[in-house]
Amino acid sequence: MSEYTEHTPGGASVGLVEKRFFTFAVPPHPLDVDSGRSLGPVTLAYETYGKLDEQATNAVLVLHALTGDSHAAGHYDATDAKPGWWDIMIGPGKPIDTDRYFVICSNVIGGCMGSTGPSSIDPSTGKPYGLTFPVITIADMVRAQKELVEHLGIKKLLCAIGGSMGGMQVLEWAVRYPDMVRAAVPLATTTKHSALAIAFNEVARQAIMADPKWNCGDYYEGDKPGHGLAVARMIGHITYLSDEAMRQKFDRRLQDRCEISFAFDVADFQVESYLRYQGQKFVDRFDANSFLYVTKAADYFNLEAAHGEGSAVAAFAKARCRFLVASFSSDWLYPTYQSRAMVQAMKKNGLDVSFVEIEAKWGHDAFLLPNARLSGMIDRFLDRAAVDAAKEAKEAGHAL
């Protein structure tokens, strides 16, 4: 996921928000993870917007992409230059309307934005975990989110929604906890990484590990591997865009010069300058080890292997919710054929599925940018889910 959009078209802001923390899995009851190890205590950083209704039926869980965090909307203080990463979607009068819905977004475990990850202090040593932190999976992230959702008094989510790695979490929620999800919106995502996606992630990880300052993951008392992490970010950022977006944004235009320099230590082209800027900006906010962990979790994700013995149809047989699946025409990281395959598997199980391929030139990152068609579909989809939830609550009340 690249840097989120800075402008917020339409609707009002949720205003000032606060990052909160939830701690669970305190020994002797740690969180067991897929790698065969256990972890505890575990802290999740999270934010909420809107108000939970009396029946706790209006909760929408927003899942962030690879390098996102819990700050999905609003501002921490009046000096914030940017709102949360999905402020275009979340707020009063927006598609995820905080006048109607109680919105939750948490930072994943393995991350570095307040949730327990490799940069967190290992209570057994008093030092950062580093590579002693257990390798985690998308399923582990979802297990931790379930603890938070239940802590907030929610038995069933109105909707789980997210793009990219967030979409993987949506799919995991739908099949792992089918009785806890009424509706699901996986955007620009896949049921498993292609060899191409794994390859880009591996090159990015190697860039970090080749930095001498990485020091086998033990760099917290010294200089961090900034160059390796910046290169990793540059690699990832290329995959988030498209050929057309790159051509329109940069083409072969030179950066602050009229002629090429015939040198390697300067950025001749605008696209070079842009990537260097994005790489350095990323170093200032993200942990290199966390990048290793979250990319590995995304690479390991394989919904059909984990839940259907290799069959997507068998995996989605566990789901009970309705789906809105959206892909983007210029997304070559998770191309539309992958979304179509999951939709076919859903339909073979008789699930209620809506699917749209949205024409967008900005590549994979299009789900983060303003799009009237996507906004309208999410708005109507959530409204339909809310109407059904209210109807079921009313019928349940009459039955008592």
Side-chain angles (χ1 to χ4, degrees):
M1 182 175 90
S2 72
E3 296 303 308
Y4 43 75
T5 182
E6 296 188 29
H7 60 290
T8 307
S13 171
V14 297
L16 297 181
V17 299
E18 178 186 359
K19 182 182 289 188
R20 301 177 182 178
F21 301 91
F22 166 61
T23 299
F24 68 102
V26 177
H29 304 291
L31 175 70
D32 294 327
V33 296
D34 283 341
S35 64
R37 296 176 58 191
S38 59
L39 182 66
V42 175
T43 295
L44 289 184
Y46 72 101
E47 294 179 20
T48 65
Y49 324 106
K51 185 178 179 180
L52 188 65
D53 63 24
E54 292 183 2
Q55 295 78 29
T57 59
N58 68 333
V60 175
L61 180 64
V62 173
L63 293 317
H64 70 72
L66 191 72
T67 59
D69 57 20
S70 61
H71 187 38
H75 298 264
Y76 287 139
D77 59 60
T79 64
D80 272 356
K82 289 183 178 181
W85 58 266
W86 223 15
D87 199 74
I88 60 170
M89 280 287 182
I90 302 168
K94 295 177 183 177
I96 307 176
D97 190 345
T98 51
D99 285 339
R100 300 183 62 191
Y101 311 120
F102 178 65
V103 183
I104 312 158
C105 184
S106 71
N107 183 219
V108 297
I109 58 169
C112 56
M113 308 297 282
S115 292
T116 300
S119 61
S120 302
I121 299 300
D122 180 348
S124 68
T125 65
K127 297 181 179 180
Y129 281 102
L131 295 196
T132 66
F133 191 79
V135 174
I136 47 90
T137 64
I138 299 296
D140 295 329
M141 296 174 182
V142 169
R143 289 186 187 98
Q145 291 158 4
K146 178 176 180 286
E147 296 284 344
L148 172 62
V149 168
E150 292 178 334
H151 167 73
L152 294 173
I154 299 160
K155 295 182 178 179
K156 189 168 187 176
L157 294 166
L158 178 68
C159 185
I161 179 171
S164 193
M165 191 185 79
M168 297 178 189
Q169 295 166 67
V170 169
L171 295 175
E172 184 70 27
W173 262 100
V175 299
R176 181 170 291 275
Y177 303 117
D179 294 332
M180 289 188 67
V181 183
R182 179 178 298 279
V185 184
L187 306 170
T189 196
T190 182
T191 59
K192 59 184 178 184
H193 264 181
S194 65
L196 180 69
I198 294 171
F200 275 110
N201 278 349
E202 173 60 7
V203 173
R205 288 190 292 265
Q206 288 297 324
I208 291 171
M209 294 187 288
D211 189 324
K213 293 180 180 178
W214 181 63
N215 193 32
C216 296
D218 185 16
Y219 53 81
Y220 293 106
E221 294 182 359
D223 294 334
K224 58 187 176 183
H227 179 71
L229 181 58
V231 173
R233 179 59 167 180
M234 292 165 72
I235 294 166
H237 207 85
I238 293 168
T239 70
Y240 305 146
L241 301 175
S242 69
D243 177 58
E244 183 178 359
M246 298 274 267
R247 187 170 61 252
Q248 289 193 16
K249 191 175 181 69
F250 309 110
D251 201 24
R252 289 180 55 84
R253 290 185 289 275
L254 298 179
Q255 177 70 25
D256 299 329
R257 64 184 64 250
C258 297
E259 297 179 352
I260 58 176
S261 68
F262 295 100
F264 294 105
D265 60 345
V266 297
D268 285 311
F269 297 98
Q270 286 183 7
V271 67
E272 293 176 311
S273 177
Y274 171 80
L275 289 174
R276 292 184 184 190
Y277 169 76
Q278 290 293 346
Q280 187 54 53
K281 188 177 179 181
F282 188 62
V283 169
D284 294 337
R285 75 172 183 87
F286 211 79
D287 176 59
N289 281 338
S290 278
F291 190 88
L292 301 181
Y293 276 81
V294 294
T295 56
K296 184 64 78 171
D299 288 347
Y300 281 161
F301 182 65
N302 188 334
L303 194 77
E304 44 259 56
H307 295 281
E309 298 183 347
S311 166
V313 175
F316 282 113
K318 297 180 179 180
R320 299 288 182 270
C321 63
R322 64 163 51 95
F323 288 90
L324 169 61
V325 179
S327 67
F328 297 86
S329 59
S330 57
D331 184 354
W332 58 276
L333 184 60
Y334 301 143
T336 293
Y337 79 83
Q338 296 179 358
S339 290
R340 290 190 187 279
M342 76 173 78
V343 168
Q344 290 174 358
M346 293 170 183
K347 288 187 173 180
K348 286 183 178 179
N349 283 289
L351 295 171
D352 183 340
V353 186
S354 299
F355 169 68
V356 61
E357 180 187 30
I358 294 176
E359 289 293 327
K361 62 185 178 182
W362 301 115
H364 180 63
D365 261 3
F367 77 93
L368 292 168
L369 303 173
N371 186 289
R373 188 179 183 194
L374 178 63
S375 294
M377 293 192 71
I378 291 175
D379 187 2
R380 293 187 293 273
F381 184 77
L382 288 176
D383 180 68
R384 182 182 169 198
V387 169
D388 287 351
K391 186 184 298 183
E392 287 185 17
K394 185 177 180 180
E395 291 174 353
H398 287 160
L400 293 177

